[in-house]
Amino acid sequence: MARTKSEDRRQAILSAAATLIASEGLGAATASIAKAAGVPSGSVFTYFETKNELVNQLYRELKLELVAEVLAQLPKKDPKKQLHHIWTRWTDWGAAFPEKRRVLAQLTVSDEISAASREHALKAAAPTLEVIDQVRQQGVLKSRSLAFVGAIVEAMAATTMDFMIREPKQAAHYREAGFETLWKAIS
Amino acid sequence: MARTKSEDRRQAILSAAATLIASEGLGAATASIAKAAGVPSGSVFTYFETKNELVNQLYRELKLELVAEVLAQLPKKDPKKQLHHIWTRWTDWGAAFPEKRRVLAQLTVSDEISAASREHALKAAAPTLEVIDQVRQQGVLKSRSLAFVGAIVEAMAATTMDFMIREPKQAAHYREAGFETLWKAIS
Amino acid sequence: MARTKSEDRRQAILSAAATLIASEGLGAATASIAKAAGVPSGSVFTYFETKNELVNQLYRELKLELVAEVLAQLPKKDPKKQLHHIWTRWTDWGAAFPEKRRVLAQLTVSDEISAASREHALKAAAPTLEVIDQVRQQGVLKSRSLAFVGAIVEAMAATTMDFMIREPKQAAHYREAGFETLWKAIS
Amino acid sequence: MARTKSEDRRQAILSAAATLIASEGLGAATASIAKAAGVPSGSVFTYFETKNELVNQLYRELKLELVAEVLAQLPKKDPKKQLHHIWTRWTDWGAAFPEKRRVLAQLTVSDEISAASREHALKAAAPTLEVIDQVRQQGVLKSRSLAFVGAIVEAMAATTMDFMIREPKQAAHYREAGFETLWKAIS
DNA sequence: AATGAATGAGCCTTCATTCAT
DNA sequence: AATGAATGAAGGCTCATTCAT
């Protein structure tokens, strides 16, 4: 049997792509990504059919990673506690991996990302949305769609992470201020 | 003072750039932009030194246009009324010109935009921030920076506009729901 | 002697190569050929040293197949009858396997095919040329080389096959018209 | 006003393409063609949108050149004289420009050449076909299509040229032998 | 200033061939 | 022998910018 595709290599490429896209934007060359990943340029295409495919997979993996992080050890308690748990892990993740957060921000507004990929990420995030939905149904936005409320949460998380990254010493304060603001907004 | 012929061309290029960047992203070729603007391809570079310069100017002009729109007929009344006025004009502008809103979203996360351009836009937005600041000082976020509160306002406006564009029939509802949410968040 | 498993694979590759070269030209990728043949891509090179080698073998096999077809049941009668027999089987073969005919046409003008391969095919076709030579010696072209007359026969056969393929309903008519024309030309 | 496209450059590219395609086949790299033409690689694409377009234009130009050559000074006399005139100029052209003849042979069997290009060439060749048609209507092939008879003429011309090129000393003999053979075939 | 051809580095992707398994 | 991942040179084409006219 021939060599099997190496998951390590795949991850190396994905990781290099994240780094380069974070610093150079989506214009980052596949050859540069390969070099940064320590693989020959052709290998990018043995692991991803096209650059577009690579970028979409990167988007999915980052979203999944974030979701997994956010849902880990989710308490069974009341929605507010749960939302706070999610919020904390979410923003801490962003502050810990500013590069990943930046890439996600760029990919999210890019039209390279397919509807299917967005859908995929949305499904993975279902448990998170479930929590948000419970908060929503008890709050002032009960008559608005979950999508809208979810988007507001995302927007506030993004803003909060940006400031946590910008002023690391104040990170904890921003994180809490962000949550309080969010809670007042949607509860 | 009447616009010179040159100024017309400059605007044509800027406008075409907005259209193409909205649909193709920052990768839009200068030659395509020139064609869409109805000017020879070389002219792009007599009006803008580089593509980067063009993109930065576009960013500034859009920001300025938005600020002017938002501040027009600003009432002298109390901060809430003023913020509501800004909010309404802001989100209506975005809903009316989805292309411009989209470009602004893309440019904002791009690293093509220089710190100077961001600074420039920030200064132009000073009166808006002044209003936000008054609200802030009377609200729960009084101990957080204006920058943070301003960013939250921007994030919520962006989210609101996205939904107004996505569901035009519900635009008015989203606009008001957005404002109410914002108000609860920051007042 | 039964075919070995290997020989089956070799034929599968050759056959797939014919199909793909017919539709995509000589640019057909070896990996595509392997896939079409249902063998792993590496196997192409265990059966053929290089792509060039594969292509030359394909040329030889097609030529040999054609010669065998054409000479089968060759009557012992007079040269005209024999030439007619050859002509009929030749053009019918082309009409029955338009893909093979097309590949042969492409390979013939390609410089991938070595002189040795052409020589090899020529030798295999000796009995056919023998018949043509007899006709030639009794005809007006007796003072011209056999190569020339042979080339004329080939050219007319090619033209005839093209029309038989293009207008299948008229195939029989073209076949006979072609022969009559040929006969008048060289007898 | 800017520089105007140089017809000289266009011809240089076309000519270099002919040379390289003759020796390397259609796989000849556009960069090599540019180099051979003495122009920068990018210029190939300011004169031809794609390589395919370049190749099609080359086909058309060669066909047109050949038709012009063949029809020059066409006598008004009887069809046989006319056909002989065409035949002579045709085969002499091929013998004089073996490279062009070779390219035409390759392009003709290639599927890079569009139906439109073939149609275009066919129209240009109308006067030639007109002559062939007159011969055809008085000959044994009167019941076959002009296309078929035309194809036979072309096939025999091609064969004749090949031998004129291969044995230049015998060129004149092959040319006449070819015509006689043709005449017997179709008259 | 206006025009658009000229330029060549750079990009994504393909592919024949090799070789670890 | 069988398999298919690995490799990197090469290919067609794009594009920001320059500059002759």
Side-chain angles (χ1 to χ4, degrees):
Chain A
M1 194 181 37
R3 270 167 274 192
T4 51
K5 276 190 208 172
S6 149
E7 181 57 21
D8 279 356
R9 284 194 149 209
R10 191 175 167 282
Q11 285 302 332
I13 294 168
L14 242 11
S15 173
T19 303
L20 285 188
I21 290 173
S23 67
E24 300 176 16
L26 280 164
T30 55
S32 312
I33 292 171
K35 194 173 179 186
V39 303
S41 66
S43 287
V44 170
F45 298 91
T46 103
Y47 287 88
F48 306 92
E49 278 196 13
T50 61
K51 185 185 182 182
N52 179 38
E53 177 69 11
L54 162 61
V55 155
N56 272 273
Q57 300 249 9
L58 177 58
Y59 173 81
R60 290 175 180 216
E61 301 239 337
L62 287 178
K63 280 283 194 183
L64 256 50
E65 175 185 325
L66 174 53
V67 165
E69 172 65 24
V70 144
L71 292 177
Q73 304 165 23
L74 184 67
K76 298 288 178 194
K77 317 192 183 165
D78 70 305
K80 182 173 182 180
K81 286 263 166 55
Q82 290 185 312
L83 185 58
H84 186 261
H85 179 269
I86 288 170
W87 179 266
T88 302
R89 289 188 151 250
W90 187 343
T91 54
D92 280 349
W93 177 88
F97 307 106
E99 193 175 80
K100 291 180 179 177
R101 142 117 194 83
R102 184 163 163 65
V103 173
L104 223 32
Q106 295 203 203
L107 295 183
T108 300
V109 300
S110 157
D111 43 8
E112 294 284 298
I113 302 304
S114 69
S117 290
R118 295 184 200 270
E119 195 64 32
H120 182 261
L122 201 58
K123 271 190 183 125
T128 304
L129 283 168
E130 174 62 27
V131 171
I132 294 173
D133 203 24
Q134 289 195 22
V135 173
R136 171 186 140 266
Q137 289 178 18
Q138 298 169 9
V140 276
L141 289 169
K142 68 168 73 78
S143 64
R144 302 263 55 120
S145 68
L146 171 57
F148 183 58
V149 182
I152 285 175
V153 175
E154 188 155 14
M156 297 220 23
T159 304
T160 299
M161 286 185 278
D162 286 344
F163 279 80
M164 288 170 75
I165 292 166
R166 204 182 300 176
E167 302 174 37
K169 290 177 184 168
Q170 302 289 316
H173 286 129
Y174 276 119
R175 188 216 297 133
E176 294 315 316
F179 183 74
E180 280 164 35
T181 309
L182 171 65
W183 188 253
K184 288 209 298 152
I186 69 173
S187 71
Chain B
M1 185 173 49
R3 275 184 187 171
T4 65
K5 178 127 177 285
S6 296
E7 180 57 17
D8 278 355
R9 287 202 149 193
R10 191 176 165 283
Q11 284 302 328
I13 293 167
L14 244 10
S15 173
T19 302
L20 285 188
I21 290 173
S23 67
E24 300 175 17
L26 280 165
T30 55
S32 311
I33 292 171
K35 192 175 181 187
V39 306
S41 67
S43 286
V44 170
F45 296 89
T46 99
Y47 289 92
F48 305 91
E49 271 193 24
T50 63
K51 185 185 182 182
N52 182 305
E53 177 68 12
L54 162 59
V55 157
N56 273 274
Q57 300 254 7
L58 177 59
Y59 174 79
R60 290 175 180 215
E61 299 242 338
L62 287 177
K63 279 286 194 181
L64 257 48
E65 174 185 326
L66 174 52
V67 165
E69 172 65 22
V70 144
L71 292 178
Q73 303 166 23
L74 183 68
K76 298 291 180 189
K77 316 189 185 168
D78 70 305
K80 182 173 183 181
K81 287 261 166 56
Q82 289 185 312
L83 185 58
H84 186 261
H85 178 268
I86 288 169
W87 179 267
T88 303
R89 289 190 150 247
W90 187 345
T91 54
D92 279 351
W93 176 88
F97 306 107
E99 194 176 79
K100 292 179 180 177
R101 144 123 194 78
R102 185 165 163 66
V103 173
L104 225 33
Q106 296 202 203
L107 295 182
T108 298
V109 299
S110 156
D111 44 9
E112 294 283 297
I113 302 304
S114 68
S117 290
R118 295 184 200 269
E119 195 63 33
H120 182 262
L122 202 58
K123 274 194 181 121
T128 305
L129 283 167
E130 176 61 27
V131 171
I132 294 172
D133 202 24
Q134 289 196 23
V135 173
R136 170 186 141 267
Q137 289 179 17
Q138 297 168 10
V140 275
L141 289 168
K142 68 168 71 80
S143 63
R144 302 264 57 120
S145 68
L146 171 56
F148 183 58
V149 183
I152 285 176
V153 176
E154 189 156 14
M156 299 222 19
T159 303
T160 301
M161 286 185 278
D162 286 345
F163 279 79
M164 289 171 73
I165 291 166
R166 205 183 299 178
E167 301 174 38
K169 290 176 184 170
Q170 303 289 317
H173 286 129
Y174 276 120
R175 190 216 296 133
E176 294 315 316
F179 184 73
E180 280 165 36
T181 308
L182 172 66
W183 188 253
K184 289 209 302 151
I186 70 174
S187 71
Chain C
M1 185 173 49
R3 276 184 187 170
T4 65
K5 177 127 177 285
S6 296
E7 179 58 17
D8 278 354
R9 287 201 149 194
R10 192 176 166 283
Q11 283 303 327
I13 294 168
L14 244 12
S15 173
T19 303
L20 284 188
I21 290 174
S23 67
E24 299 176 19
L26 281 165
T30 55
S32 311
I33 292 171
K35 192 175 180 187
V39 306
S41 66
S43 287
V44 169
F45 296 90
T46 98
Y47 289 92
F48 306 91
E49 271 193 23
T50 64
K51 185 184 182 183
N52 181 302
E53 177 68 11
L54 161 61
V55 156
N56 273 273
Q57 300 252 7
L58 176 58
Y59 174 80
R60 291 175 181 215
E61 300 243 337
L62 286 177
K63 279 284 194 183
L64 257 48
E65 174 185 327
L66 175 53
V67 166
E69 171 66 23
V70 144
L71 292 178
Q73 303 165 23
L74 183 68
K76 297 290 179 189
K77 317 192 184 163
D78 69 305
K80 182 173 182 180
K81 286 261 167 56
Q82 289 185 313
L83 184 58
H84 186 261
H85 179 269
I86 288 169
W87 179 267
T88 302
R89 289 188 151 248
W90 187 343
T91 54
D92 280 349
W93 176 87
F97 306 107
E99 195 176 79
K100 292 179 179 176
R101 144 124 193 76
R102 186 165 162 67
V103 173
L104 224 31
Q106 295 202 204
L107 295 182
T108 299
V109 300
S110 156
D111 43 8
E112 295 283 296
I113 302 304
S114 68
S117 291
R118 295 183 201 270
E119 194 63 32
H120 182 262
L122 202 59
K123 276 198 180 115
T128 305
L129 283 167
E130 175 64 25
V131 170
I132 294 173
D133 202 25
Q134 289 195 23
V135 173
R136 169 185 142 267
Q137 288 178 18
Q138 297 168 9
V140 276
L141 289 168
K142 67 167 74 77
S143 63
R144 301 265 54 119
S145 68
L146 170 57
F148 183 59
V149 182
I152 285 176
V153 176
E154 188 155 15
M156 297 221 22
T159 304
T160 300
M161 286 185 280
D162 286 344
F163 278 79
M164 289 170 73
I165 291 167
R166 203 182 301 177
E167 300 173 40
K169 291 176 183 169
Q170 303 288 317
H173 286 128
Y174 276 120
R175 190 216 296 132
E176 295 315 316
F179 183 74
E180 281 164 34
T181 308
L182 172 67
W183 187 254
K184 289 210 301 149
I186 68 174
S187 70
Chain D
M1 194 179 40
R3 273 166 272 192
T4 51
K5 275 188 206 171
S6 149
E7 180 58 21
D8 279 357
R9 283 193 150 211
R10 192 174 167 282
Q11 284 303 331
I13 294 167
L14 242 11
S15 173
T19 302
L20 285 187
I21 290 173
S23 67
E24 299 176 17
L26 281 164
T30 56
S32 311
I33 292 172
K35 193 174 182 185
V39 305
S41 66
S43 286
V44 169
F45 298 93
T46 103
Y47 287 88
F48 306 92
E49 278 196 13
T50 62
K51 185 186 182 183
N52 179 20
E53 177 69 11
L54 162 59
V55 155
N56 273 272
Q57 299 249 8
L58 177 58
Y59 174 81
R60 289 175 181 217
E61 301 239 339
L62 286 178
K63 279 283 194 183
L64 257 49
E65 175 186 324
L66 174 54
V67 165
E69 172 66 22
V70 144
L71 292 178
Q73 303 166 23
L74 183 69
K76 297 290 179 191
K77 317 194 184 162
D78 69 305
K80 182 173 182 180
K81 286 263 166 54
Q82 290 186 313
L83 185 58
H84 186 260
H85 178 267
I86 288 170
W87 179 266
T88 302
R89 288 188 151 251
W90 187 344
T91 54
D92 280 351
W93 176 88
F97 306 107
E99 193 176 80
K100 291 180 180 178
R101 144 120 194 79
R102 184 164 162 68
V103 173
L104 223 32
Q106 295 203 203
L107 295 183
T108 299
V109 300
S110 156
D111 44 8
E112 294 284 296
I113 302 304
S114 68
S117 290
R118 294 182 201 271
E119 195 63 33
H120 182 263
L122 201 59
K123 271 190 183 127
T128 304
L129 284 168
E130 174 63 25
V131 170
I132 294 173
D133 202 24
Q134 288 196 23
V135 172
R136 169 186 142 266
Q137 289 180 17
Q138 298 168 11
V140 275
L141 290 169
K142 69 167 72 77
S143 63
R144 302 264 53 120
S145 69
L146 172 56
F148 183 58
V149 182
I152 286 176
V153 176
E154 188 155 14
M156 297 220 23
T159 304
T160 301
M161 286 186 279
D162 286 344
F163 279 79
M164 289 170 73
I165 291 167
R166 203 182 301 177
E167 301 174 39
K169 290 177 183 167
Q170 302 289 317
H173 286 129
Y174 276 119
R175 189 216 296 134
E176 293 315 316
F179 184 73
E180 279 164 37
T181 309
L182 172 65
W183 187 253
K184 289 208 298 150
I186 69 173
S187 70

